[in-house]
Amino acid sequence: MSRYQRLVGAGAALLLTLGLTACSEDAEEPTTTETPAAEETEEAAEPAAEGQPAWANPIAEGGDVVATVDLGDDRSLEVRQMSVETATTTGNFVDPENNEPIVDEGDDVVYVNYVLTNGGDPIDLGSSIFSVDARYDDWPYMQGMDGITDSELTESLGLYTSGVATGQMADPTVYTLGTGESVAIGENFLYQEDSPISFDVSMTPVDAEGELLSDERIEAEGTGTIS
């Protein structure tokens, strides 16, 4: 995919510094060197399109399908590679061995969109909707992959880091994904061309009060290649 598929936009970013440790048999958990600050607040989105719940952010069109994860009960999550962009700031993690950022300003980052589609019965979800842990097969660190925080750039690509639109927070936090409806969450991480990658997906339904039904937690994995 060409890195020129971007829409115009770049903005200020937030630097979070966390330690990472290279994977090995005796590797220790990374240490936190700074308390993460809250991510920039996204501007209110356009109303959700047909086929989406009223509480959801709109789903960006296009992208190349990297993987499709079967979540059972006619539900699936599609991973779409949207764009390769130049990092506008350093990433969120540093390697403690050399104190260098995993993603430096000017590096390439790839933006992906995770699109969850419910073909089964309506399901009530919490505010996180679902979560995805993406990792290259050769990713050398114990924690997840690193990317940048740049809300303006993310939104310029039509992506959102939350499935719930601004101003649509429910109380209790119950978000019903109806039959035939979809919701999406975007993210970015360090770009590695032609790299095999896996996606661990989890989704936990909630009850009428928004409490997690942990015994009904859904987990699945998909694989693909970032091109």
Side-chain angles (χ1 to χ4, degrees), residues 32-116:
T32 302
T33 57
E34 183 175 309
T35 301
E39 187 171 349
E40 301 167 56
T41 301
E42 294 171 338
E43 296 181 2
E46 295 294 326
E50 183 178 357
Q52 291 186 253
W55 48 261
N57 278 312
I59 299 176
E61 297 182 358
D64 295 332
V65 177
V66 174
T68 300
V69 184
D70 184 2
L71 298 172
D73 295 327
D74 292 323
R75 300 182 182 111
S76 64
L77 184 136
E78 195 171 76
V79 182
R80 302 176 185 174
Q81 182 174 336
M82 304 300 291
S83 182
V84 176
E85 303 291 329
T86 300
T88 55
T89 184
T90 54
N92 302 320
F93 303 122
V94 296
D95 185 337
E97 291 191 356
N98 54 27
N99 205 35
E100 295 294 329
I102 304 304
V103 177
D104 206 351
E105 184 175 354
D107 289 344
D108 287 337
V109 291
V110 59
Y111 277 81
V112 297
N113 207 21
Y114 303 121
V115 182
L116 170 65

Side-chain angles (χ1 to χ4, degrees), residues 137-149:
D137 289 359
D138 61 354
W139 187 248
Y141 304 103
M142 294 182 70
Q143 281 196 350
M145 296 202 294
D146 194 17
I148 64 169
T149 301

Side-chain angles (χ1 to χ4, degrees), residues 3-203:
R3 74 182 59 199
Y4 300 104
Q5 290 178 299
R6 73 172 71 185
L7 301 176
V8 176
L14 178 67
L15 176 62
L16 306 177
T17 309
L18 299 175
L20 283 179
T21 304
C23 284
S24 67
E25 291 184 359
D26 58 351
E28 297 180 355
E29 288 292 336
T31 57
T32 302
T33 57
E34 183 175 309
T35 301
E39 187 171 349
E40 301 167 56
T41 301
E42 294 171 338
E43 296 181 2
E46 295 294 326
E50 183 178 357
Q52 291 186 253
W55 48 261
N57 278 312
I59 299 176
E61 297 182 358
D64 295 332
V65 177
V66 174
T68 300
V69 184
D70 184 2
L71 298 172
D73 295 327
D74 292 323
R75 300 182 182 111
S76 64
L77 184 136
E78 195 171 76
V79 182
R80 302 176 185 174
Q81 182 174 336
M82 304 300 291
S83 182
V84 176
E85 303 291 329
T86 300
T88 55
T89 184
T90 54
N92 302 320
F93 303 122
V94 296
D95 185 337
E97 291 191 356
N98 54 27
N99 205 35
E100 295 294 329
I102 304 304
V103 177
D104 206 351
E105 184 175 354
D107 289 344
D108 287 337
V109 291
V110 59
Y111 277 81
V112 297
N113 207 21
Y114 303 121
V115 182
L116 170 65
T117 299
N118 180 24
D121 295 334
I123 183 172
D124 292 337
L125 301 169
S127 56
S128 64
I129 313 301
F130 61 83
S131 64
V132 181
D133 180 16
R135 294 182 187 237
Y136 292 122
D137 289 359
D138 61 354
W139 187 248
Y141 304 103
M142 294 182 70
Q143 281 196 350
M145 296 202 294
D146 194 17
I148 64 169
T149 301
D150 187 334
S151 295
E152 188 173 343
L153 175 56
T154 300
E155 291 180 20
S156 77
L157 299 169
L159 304 178
Y160 297 88
T161 57
S162 171
V164 180
T166 302
Q168 295 297 324
M169 182 66 71
D171 185 14
T173 52
V174 178
Y175 300 92
T176 302
L177 188 64
T179 303
E181 291 184 335
S182 298
V183 61
I185 298 175
E187 77 163 342
N188 73 84
F189 43 79
L190 184 67
Y191 176 59
Q192 291 187 179
E193 187 175 7
D194 297 327
S195 286
I197 189 171
S198 63
F199 303 93
D200 289 328
V201 182
S202 62
M203 180 172 66

